[in-house]
Amino acid sequence: MNVLLPSTAEDLWRILGDNPDALLCAGGTDLLVKVRAGMIRPVSLVCLERLDDFRGIRDEGDTFSIGACTPHTEIVTSSAIDAFLQVLKKAVHVLGSPPIRNMATLGGNICTASPAGDTLPALYALDAELELWSRSHVRRLPIDQFITGPGKTTLRKGEVLAAVRVRKPAGKFIHHFEKVGQRQAMSISIANLAALVKVDQTDTIENISLAWGSVGPTIVRSREVETALKGTKLSVEGLKQVFPLIDRALSPISDVRASSTYRRRVSANLLLRLAVHEGCRT
Amino acid sequence: MISLTFVLNGKITTIETPPDRRVIDLLREDFGLTAAKEGCGTGECGACTILVDGESRLSCLMLAAQLEGRSVTTVEGLEEGTNRVGRIQAAFIRHGAVQCGFCTPGMVLAVSDLLDREPKPDRERIREGISGNLCRCTGYQKIVDAVEAVISETRGKGQNT
């Protein structure tokens, strides 16, 4: 297997032109496991780790542009992310382990498109937009139009995920992320929930976005649940009212980690954690 | 084959190697540096941890070509007592943080990366810092004790690193 390491976008396009069947490798923490296991046998691998144009966190005023090749450690230690995108920070904080976070990247987590990818619910809740570059073209599309199923994306041949664009939530939001796994570190999510909630002075929900991970073929975002919660009080009783709607929105599987019944129950209960913010006006 | 040049434990090194050779194999078989161990081979146990440009990375999930121009540190490159990693090793010995020893080289380097980023972590943060390194002997208590000892010694000496 040939291993190529372009350091400029120009290099990258030339290499991809010369090696149309090459596989893109970001941090490699998922891909190289599959290569080693013989699940995929690429002729050449194009490692994106030296492409500075695809790396780093840029504050563009009302939006952050996060380079797809930014390692998770850089996201979790960024003061800008800490100030504006806590929900993403919380998700990255429970992803893998320190060495995994040093190697693995945000773009890698997106393109792997695992239903259990830890950053994905946060990015869905934030309505992240992806910037895809090819030699002569740039296109942007919402993350929920990019990921189409487990391990499946609409990435085209010759195209590279360059950046993740996230608008700063306008006004003060509760940023919530909780993951249920079999242990605290290095675990794959059994279910997780990312939430952005805005409440008024009377604890009435003004705005809410909710995204569940690991309980469907891709991340589950239910507008029905969100609409039902708007205008209600942020309380355990109020949140319980939407349990039947949540149950309808999810389609979890049973696997080695948990049964679908458990996943349904824990996913609904994860929502109740939002009630800890009751009375803490934001 | 590629001609690979990188800094290995402080020395500039060039070697002919297949570009897709795993770094763990390169270190253990080609250089005879056997501190980094292969536990799981899938990035979950941390026994193969090395430092690349000072950051902890998993050598079972890296390919030789990725090392070009980088600086690699394994515990073999460190002399006991002369620098922080040496002090970490000494504290591990004093506190009984080494039993079978399989996880120790990776654990020491994970601690070094942690203390680089955060000079005075509390016990919970220490646990987080070593959460990618599995130890099946110690139950981690003695390892955390050893790291705490390194932190308090460092503070006692009034050093930052």
Side-chain angles (χ1 to χ4, degrees):
Chain A
M1 183 171 66
N2 201 4
V3 183
L4 303 153
L5 291 129
S7 57
T8 63
E10 208 173 305
D11 269 358
L12 172 69
W13 305 130
R14 183 181 45 77
I15 287 172
L16 290 181
D18 294 347
N19 304 270
D21 292 323
L23 217 58
L24 299 173
C25 179
T29 55
D30 216 72
L31 189 71
L32 293 179
V33 174
K34 290 179 187 157
V35 170
R36 175 81 177 162
M39 291 159 70
I40 38 175
R41 298 174 193 280
V43 178
S44 43
L45 214 56
V46 177
C47 295
L48 305 175
E49 63 193 45
R50 299 190 184 210
L51 289 163
D52 289 342
D53 289 353
F54 292 64
R55 189 170 171 158
I57 300 159
R58 226 174 39 238
D59 189 337
E60 296 179 351
D62 60 350
T63 303
F64 282 110
S65 175
I66 307 171
C69 298
T70 308
H72 295 300
T73 298
E74 201 172 319
I75 293 169
V76 89
T77 55
S78 152
S79 55
I81 300 292
D82 182 62
F84 293 100
L85 301 178
Q86 272 290 329
V87 66
L88 180 61
K89 179 175 176 166
K90 287 174 179 174
V92 172
H93 187 79
V94 295
L95 182 153
S97 65
I100 293 283
R101 293 195 288 272
N102 287 344
M103 302 168 78
T105 68
L106 187 63
N109 203 232
I110 295 168
C111 291
T112 297
S114 162
D118 283 320
T119 67
L120 305 181
L123 295 173
Y124 273 65
L126 288 161
D127 291 311
E129 193 181 49
L130 306 182
E131 196 167 288
L132 302 152
W133 291 8
S134 58
R135 182 168 225 156
S136 55
H137 191 67
V138 175
R139 67 177 176 128
R140 285 184 184 174
L141 81 168
I143 189 165
D144 62 351
Q145 288 176 30
F146 180 71
I147 297 174
T148 55
K152 292 201 170 71
T153 69
T154 58
L155 189 74
R156 296 171 187 158
K157 217 177 172 81
E159 208 171 43
V160 177
L161 173 58
V164 181
R165 300 180 58 81
V166 184
R167 288 178 78 84
K168 294 178 185 168
K172 287 195 172 174
F173 275 81
I174 296 161
H175 286 242
H176 178 84
F177 183 85
E178 187 170 0
K179 165 174 169 174
V180 176
Q182 287 182 322
R183 60 199 296 277
Q184 278 188 17
M186 277 311 291
S187 69
I188 296 178
S189 282
I190 287 170
N192 60 35
L193 172 67
L196 284 167
V197 191
K198 196 176 191 182
V199 293
D200 70 9
Q201 293 296 312
T202 63
D203 275 337
T204 303
I205 298 170
E206 279 183 354
N207 212 331
I208 186 162
S209 60
L210 299 166
W212 282 270
S214 231
V215 284
T218 61
I219 303 307
V220 176
R221 176 101 189 255
S222 167
R223 311 286 162 172
E224 206 185 356
V225 173
E226 293 172 7
T227 308
L229 285 171
K230 274 181 208 163
T232 67
K233 292 264 184 192
L234 181 63
S235 67
V236 170
E237 283 318 304
L239 294 168
K240 274 188 177 167
Q241 297 300 314
V242 298
F243 274 20
L245 297 179
I246 295 174
D247 200 60
R248 244 191 353 233
L250 309 179
S251 51
I253 56 162
S254 294
D255 64 11
V256 289
R257 282 175 284 278
S259 68
S260 65
T261 313
Y262 176 77
R263 284 194 160 100
R264 280 184 185 280
R265 188 170 300 171
V266 83
S267 298
N269 286 340
L270 278 172
L271 187 69
L272 299 182
R273 194 82 75 190
L274 291 173
V276 303
H277 300 284
E278 192 182 342
C280 337
R281 310 254 147 73
T282 51
Chain B
M1 298 291 271
I2 55 163
S3 172
L4 172 72
T5 301
F6 67 109
V7 177
L8 178 57
N9 290 330
K11 289 189 190 114
I12 296 176
T13 311
T14 299
I15 189 170
E16 296 286 316
T17 177
D20 62 347
R21 187 151 175 76
R22 292 187 312 166
V23 170
I24 177 103
D25 300 328
L26 185 83
L27 292 173
R28 292 180 61 86
E29 291 167 17
D30 301 351
F31 287 101
L33 299 174
T34 54
K37 311 272 190 281
E38 180 166 4
C40 65
T42 57
E44 300 193 39
C45 76
C48 69
T49 304
I50 57 170
L51 300 181
V52 178
D53 292 346
E55 275 196 339
S56 64
R57 281 169 192 265
L58 302 166
S59 60
C60 77
L61 295 181
M62 284 192 78
L63 304 175
Q66 291 176 277
L67 293 183
E68 180 63 38
R70 305 281 194 212
S71 174
V72 173
T73 306
T74 69
V75 292
E76 284 100 339
L78 305 152
E79 289 171 39
E80 197 178 318
T82 56
N83 55 24
R84 192 182 56 213
V85 177
R87 289 201 300 279
I88 297 168
Q89 292 191 102
F92 268 55
I93 295 165
R94 264 198 324 281
H95 287 266
V98 180
Q99 288 187 25
C100 87
F102 196 87
C103 73
T104 309
M107 199 65 89
V108 166
L109 295 176
V111 170
S112 172
D113 181 307
L114 169 69
L115 297 182
D116 251 352
R117 295 171 196 277
E118 207 175 327
K120 294 170 190 173
D122 60 17
R123 282 186 84 86
E124 200 194 323
R125 290 287 303 135
I126 295 169
R127 286 183 168 279
E128 273 184 44
I130 59 170
S131 62
N133 298 73
L134 295 181
C135 171
R136 301 290 82 166
C137 304
T138 64
Y140 303 102
Q141 298 300 333
K142 291 179 174 183
I143 294 173
V144 179
D145 290 347
V147 180
E148 278 197 317
V150 175
I151 296 163
S152 60
E153 281 164 29
T154 308
R155 210 173 306 171
K157 286 179 191 160
Q159 296 167 337
N160 292 323
T161 53

